[in-house]
């Protein structure tokens, strides 16, 4: 067994522990590898919808794939409305399980994005990403958020799952807050830090919107 196979075997066990109904990551990768690239060039990819407000999307085994520089990946192309230039595109990837006990691992699709101009040429854009943790008592809600400034000339965006990260994992640190009750009902917040591990599969759900 090579190192990649060993990693995938370990990830499948982690996935099974998280949710019995989730598609094993190894199965997702095998399903993707059986696909053919939909197009010969990025310029041939057409938008399936226009970004108005917030759109909920998902990569599944039936999502078309394209051979990006990072490898064969499922993708969804969305047209940008007029006036999008210089706004911020936010992409939020949600895990297979939205609420987990602190310290667990979560399964995400590793989101990436490429902007295109009206002539079908890719445009480089600045990107920033990180994990967002929302306190829900004993449980935390986690979302991987990526914010990208829409470059000048962009008319559509292609969102895809980064093939270089399929079958890998990444650990994020996030701030936690606990409460002490030293006097009556007085709450004293005490800040701390904890970690959560993102396991990257192929498929997954995400939302996109302009800010």
């Amino acid at each position: 067994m090579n190192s990649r196979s060993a990693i995938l075997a370990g990830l499948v066990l982690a996935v099974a522990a998280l949710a019995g109904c989730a598609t094993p990551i190894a199965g997702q990768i095998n399903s993707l590898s059986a696909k053919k690239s939909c197009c010969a060039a990025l310029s041939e990819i057409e938008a399936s919808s226009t970004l108005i407000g917030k759109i909920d999307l998902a990569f599944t085994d039936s999502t078309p794939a394209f051979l990006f520089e990072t490898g064969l990946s499922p993708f969804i192309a969305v047209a940008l409305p007029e006036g999008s230039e210089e706004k911020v595109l936010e992409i939020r990837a949600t895990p297979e399980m939205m609420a987990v006990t602190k310290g667990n691992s979560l399964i995400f699709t590793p989101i990436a994005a490429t902007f295109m101009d009206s002539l079908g040429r890719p445009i480089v854009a600045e990107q920033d990403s990180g994990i967002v943790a929302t306190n829900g008592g004993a449980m935390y809600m986690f979302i991987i958020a990526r914010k990208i400034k829409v470059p000048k000339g962009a008319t559509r965006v292609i969102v895809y799952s980064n093939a270089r990260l399929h079958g890998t994992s990444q650990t994020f640190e996030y701030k936690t807050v606990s409460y002490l009750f030293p006097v009556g009902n007085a709450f004293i917040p005490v800040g701390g830090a904890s970690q959560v591990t993102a396991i990257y599969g192929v498929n997954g759900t995400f939302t996109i919107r302009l800010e």
Side-chain angles (χ1 to χ4, degrees):
M1 180 181 291
N2 59 33
S3 59
R4 183 175 177 82
S5 297
I7 291 173
L8 289 177
L11 291 177
V12 169
L13 292 176
V15 172
L18 283 171
C21 62
T23 303
I25 291 176
Q28 293 181 8
I29 293 175
N30 289 337
S31 177
L32 176 63
S33 64
K35 293 182 179 181
K36 294 183 178 180
S37 182
C38 71
C39 313
L42 278 173
S43 58
E44 298 177 11
I45 296 177
E46 297 182 357
S48 58
S49 61
T50 299
L51 179 56
I52 299 176
K54 183 181 75 170
I55 302 180
D56 297 316
L57 299 168
F59 296 136
T60 68
D61 287 342
S62 61
T63 302
F66 178 79
L67 186 59
F68 295 89
E69 290 184 359
T70 55
L72 187 66
S73 302
F75 72 89
I76 296 176
V78 178
L80 298 172
E82 291 186 9
S84 297
E85 291 185 2
E86 302 301 309
K87 288 187 176 181
V88 174
L89 180 74
E90 182 185 59
I91 307 174
R92 290 193 166 204
T94 53
E96 293 286 337
M97 295 177 66
M98 280 300 300
V100 297
T101 305
K102 301 173 187 178
N104 277 1
S105 298
L106 297 169
I107 308 164
F108 290 91
T109 181
I111 289 294
T114 295
F115 289 93
M116 307 292 290
D117 67 11
S118 59
L119 298 178
R121 298 172 300 192
I123 306 174
V124 177
E126 297 181 3
Q127 303 188 22
D128 183 27
S129 64
I131 197 158
V132 178
T134 303
N135 188 359
M139 308 290 280
Y140 276 76
M141 305 284 280
F142 296 95
I143 295 170
I144 290 184
R146 170 155 292 180
K147 294 190 176 185
I148 316 168
K149 187 175 181 180
V150 178
K152 291 182 179 181
T155 59
R156 65 185 185 274
V157 60
I158 302 172
V159 182
Y160 60 99
S161 182
N162 187 345
R164 286 179 182 167
L165 295 179
H166 294 164
T168 68
S169 63
Q170 182 177 5
T171 299
F172 294 90
E173 287 193 354
Y174 63 94
K175 294 181 180 179
T176 63
V177 177
S178 58
Y179 294 91
L180 301 178
F181 306 88
V183 180
N185 293 324
F187 296 104
I188 298 180
V190 178
S194 191
Q195 293 182 333
V196 63
T197 299
I199 301 174
Y200 294 122
V202 177
N203 301 333
T205 58
F206 58 96
T207 61
I208 59 175
R209 66 175 182 175
L210 285 171
E211 295 182 334

